[in-house]
């Protein structure tokens, strides 16, 4: 069985001239890297890895976005016990749907993902797309991450329990990397059409992105195809992915950039596309849509089970009385227990499910954010259709596994509960997950 080893390693995350950074990383045949080694397979293919834990802490691997068999979901301790140091766990599953995914630690993840335990998982298109008329001729995987480093480029390690950060936007880094490097430069030919598979693996950072001068068009969200559409700004919450087609510029300029807004409205260059060679003949303006999945059942809204997810807490709104550990508490006692957020009046209530759904039933869920911070809500084992979002047009019908819900916004989703087992529902701002925004539901 192929090996996936989790172990300490080091990486040159900061620009040249700075020291390398001690990290925790995944490795297959070679030394551990960030991001972890790319896992690439075809839809419906079986994936097998023996996780070897050479970390000083227990760990587990979650295969984000894969509609996976429950026992292989890696959501410790709900679906498996965390794997102790020196021990192993055999992952063996089928990835049914094409698209751009990722894998990451799902135990003590605020710390373990922040230390580097994340990598890309690519499930190839069901029918040929690359090279077809109107499609791209090649693809690039861009794994975006956010690191909190000190002046010696070491990960700041004494703030895993930072409740101030957790009650705001989470643990924000100060160094954004793309494929583990500060500002990589990638070659592109003028007029060349390239598919970018962009993955936000940051623990907490929402990434507004822009690709000026490159005629960027969105073709998939969280692995699921969308009708190709032009994008100006692309906002990727933690764990979200987008596939974007770009056309190399043909105006004689040698450079274009992927830009990120770090939160102050000033766009920063995080990847360079360096143009060289002759102009390629135009591919035309139309972009070929990706092949449909053909694997996701359509929700039946006529007989749906209604559920709600109410998000409360955080700085500037605070917590009302909230259940935690079987007890109802005020905000001081909650904070003393590391809790500053709640789902439906409970903080990290893991002793019983948030709801149960019969196998095959459509669940329709209204998710309301009553806090002043955005949240990236992720459902395990399922992808859901966005039915509506307050204050935003133009996303109805998108299929996702993680949805960003802004302050005081409400999003309504629906999905067919067709995957038996116990599945986590949590905020993918991992600082929020740890401090109250975590629950689970059961499909049986
Ligand atoms: Cu959140």
């Amino acid at each position: 069985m192929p090996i996936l080893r989790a172990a300490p390693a080091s990486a040159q995350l900061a620009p040249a001239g700075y020291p390398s950074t001690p990290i925790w990383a995944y490795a297959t045949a070679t030394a551990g890297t960030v991001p972890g080694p790319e896992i690439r397979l075809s839809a419906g293919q079986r994936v097998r890895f023996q996780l070897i834990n050479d970390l000083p802490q227990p760990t587990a691997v979650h295969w984000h976005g894969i509609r996976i068999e429950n026992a292989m979901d890696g959501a410790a301790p709900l679906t498996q016990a965390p794997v102790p140091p020196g021990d192993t766990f055999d992952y063996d599953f089928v990835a049914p749907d094409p698209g751009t995914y990722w894998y990451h630690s799902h135990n003590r993840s605020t710390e373990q993902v922040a230390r580097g335990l994340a990598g890309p998982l690519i499930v190839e298109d069901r029918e040929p797309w690359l090279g077809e008329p109107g499609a791209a001729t090649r693809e690039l995987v861009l794994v975006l991450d956010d690191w909190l480093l000190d002046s010696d480029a070491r990960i700041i390690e004494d703030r895993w329990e930072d409740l101030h950060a957790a009650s705001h936007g989470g643990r924000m880094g100060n160094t954004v990397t793309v494929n583990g490097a500060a500002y990589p430069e990638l070659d592109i030919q003028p007029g060349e059409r390239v598919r970018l598979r962009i993955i936000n693996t940051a623990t907490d950072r929402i990434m507004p992105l822009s690709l000026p001068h490159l005629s960027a068009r969105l073709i998939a969200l969280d692995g699921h195809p969308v009708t190709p559409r032009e994008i100006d700004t692309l906002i990727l919450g933690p764990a979200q992915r987008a596939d974007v087609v770009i056309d190399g510029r043909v105006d004689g300029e040698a450079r274009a950039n992927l830009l990120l807004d770090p939160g102050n409205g000033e766009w920063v260059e995080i990847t360079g596309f360096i143009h060289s060679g002759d102009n390629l003949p135009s591919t035309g303006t139309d972009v070929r849509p990706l092949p449909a999945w053909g694997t996701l059942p359509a929700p039946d809204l006529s007989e749906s089970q209604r559920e709600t997810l109410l998000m409360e807490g955080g700085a500037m709104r605070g917590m009302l009385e909230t259940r935690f550990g079987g007890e109802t508490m005020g905000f001081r006692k909650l904070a003393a227990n590391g809790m500053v957020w709640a789902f439906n009046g409970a903080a990290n209530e893991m002793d019983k499910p948030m709801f149960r759904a019969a196998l095959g039933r459509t669940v329709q869920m209204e998710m309301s954010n009553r806090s002043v911070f955005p949240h990236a809500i992720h459902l395990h084992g399922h992808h859901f259709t966005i039915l509506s979002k307050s204050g935003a047009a133009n996303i109805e019908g998108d299929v996702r596994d993680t949805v960003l819900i802004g302050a005081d916004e409400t999003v309504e989703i629906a999905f067919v509960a067709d995957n038996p087992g116990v599945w986590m529902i949590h905020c993918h701002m991992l600082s929020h997950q740890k401090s109250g925004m975590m629950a689970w539901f059961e499909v049986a």
Side-chain angles (χ1 to χ4, degrees):
M1 186 180 267
I3 301 288
L4 185 67
R5 185 184 305 275
S10 79
Q12 187 65 43
L13 299 176
Y18 285 88
S20 63
T21 300
I23 54 162
W24 291 357
Y26 292 116
T28 46
T30 53
T33 55
V34 286
E38 178 182 296
I39 298 172
R40 186 173 277 266
L41 55 140
S42 35
Q45 191 184 326
R46 188 174 167 194
V47 187
R48 300 171 76 222
F49 278 107
Q50 180 173 65
L51 170 71
I52 299 179
N53 182 8
D54 283 336
L55 301 169
Q57 292 176 1
T59 194
V61 183
H62 172 56
W63 315 88
H64 185 111
I66 305 296
R67 296 192 299 131
I68 201 168
E69 182 191 333
N70 192 244
M72 297 289 118
D73 194 43
L78 184 67
T79 65
Q80 69 168 89
V83 182
D87 214 339
T88 67
F89 187 90
D90 292 348
Y91 289 99
D92 184 345
F93 59 91
V94 168
D97 312 304
T100 302
Y101 303 95
W102 63 302
Y103 61 97
H104 64 85
S105 163
H106 214 296
N107 191 56
R108 297 177 61 115
S109 56
T110 31
E111 173 177 352
Q112 294 192 5
V113 174
R115 288 186 184 273
L117 290 170
L121 172 58
I122 308 300
V123 184
E124 290 181 340
D125 304 319
R126 197 173 286 284
E127 302 157 22
W129 183 82
L130 274 184
E132 297 295 314
T137 48
R138 69 183 169 109
E139 62 177 48
L140 293 168
V141 178
L142 302 181
V143 179
L144 279 47
D145 208 344
D146 178 44
W147 305 83
L148 185 57
L149 304 179
D150 67 16
S151 55
D152 294 321
R154 299 180 73 88
I155 293 171
I156 294 177
E157 296 183 344
D158 59 358
R159 288 196 217 154
W160 306 123
E161 315 292 331
D162 185 343
L163 217 52
H164 182 267
S167 65
H168 291 72
R171 178 186 164 97
M172 284 302 132
N174 50 23
T175 305
V176 169
T177 57
V178 178
N179 296 341
Y183 194 71
E185 294 191 331
L186 307 171
D187 292 328
I188 187 171
Q189 195 168 351
E192 181 184 17
R193 181 163 288 178
V194 179
R195 174 183 187 172
L196 305 179
R197 295 178 180 267
I198 307 173
I199 309 171
N200 181 355
T201 67
T203 58
D204 295 275
R205 181 180 289 283
I206 297 170
M207 298 190 179
L209 303 169
S210 178
L211 288 152
H213 310 297
L214 292 167
S215 310
R217 276 139 305 167
L218 184 71
I219 56 170
L221 287 170
D222 294 352
H224 192 273
V226 300
T227 302
R229 58 190 192 224
E230 288 180 25
I231 43 167
D232 181 18
T233 302
L234 172 69
I235 299 176
L236 277 193
Q240 291 187 315
R241 292 88 63 210
D243 287 40
V244 174
V245 159
I246 57 169
D247 290 342
R249 58 196 302 180
V250 291
D251 55 4
E253 294 290 331
R255 184 180 288 269
N257 287 291
L258 170 61
L259 306 177
L260 175 139
D261 174 3
N264 57 9
E266 291 181 22
W267 293 91
V268 176
E269 299 166 353
I270 60 168
T271 300
F273 296 96
I274 310 304
H275 293 62
S276 63
D278 296 332
N279 284 15
L280 289 171
S282 169
T283 323
T285 51
D286 287 348
V287 171
R288 184 185 189 86
L290 290 169
W293 274 8
T295 42
L296 194 69
D300 176 5
L301 299 182
S302 66
E303 286 191 86
S304 63
Q305 172 176 335
R306 300 290 187 123
E307 299 292 342
T308 55
L309 175 64
L310 186 61
M311 292 159 251
E312 291 173 307
M316 288 168 276
R317 287 278 171 88
M319 298 269 264
L320 304 170
E321 297 249 295
T322 296
R323 292 193 308 282
F324 176 69
E327 196 185 325
T328 300
M329 304 178 182
F331 81 96
R332 280 176 203 283
K333 193 165 182 190
L334 287 162
N337 282 284
M339 295 297 125
V340 288
W341 297 99
F343 277 175
N344 294 345
N348 287 4
E349 190 167 54
M350 297 301 283
D351 59 345
K352 64 175 194 286
M354 177 185 276
F355 63 91
R356 289 192 167 89
L359 186 64
R361 184 88 188 269
T362 291
V363 176
Q364 191 170 345
M365 180 179 250
E366 186 179 84
M367 307 193 291
S368 295
N369 179 3
R370 303 250 177 102
S371 79
V372 302
F373 295 93
H375 300 289
I377 300 301
H378 173 46
L379 271 65
H380 284 221
H382 299 78
H383 285 238
F384 49 81
T385 302
I386 310 247
L387 300 178
S388 67
K389 180 175 182 179
S390 60
N394 192 20
I395 66 160
E396 286 85 1
D398 285 354
V399 173
R400 309 209 64 142
D401 58 54
T402 308
V403 62
L404 202 53
I405 305 174
D408 289 316
E409 278 182 356
T410 295
V411 169
E412 195 174 19
I413 65 164
F415 64 97
V416 180
D418 65 343
N419 199 354
V422 289
W423 302 105
M424 288 195 67
I425 173 170
H426 64 89
C427 180
H428 223 291
M429 279 109 177
L430 299 178
S431 304
H432 293 173
Q433 178 191 356
K434 180 180 183 179
S435 57
M437 302 191 101
M438 174 165 65
W440 57 280
F441 62 99
E442 181 167 23
V443 178

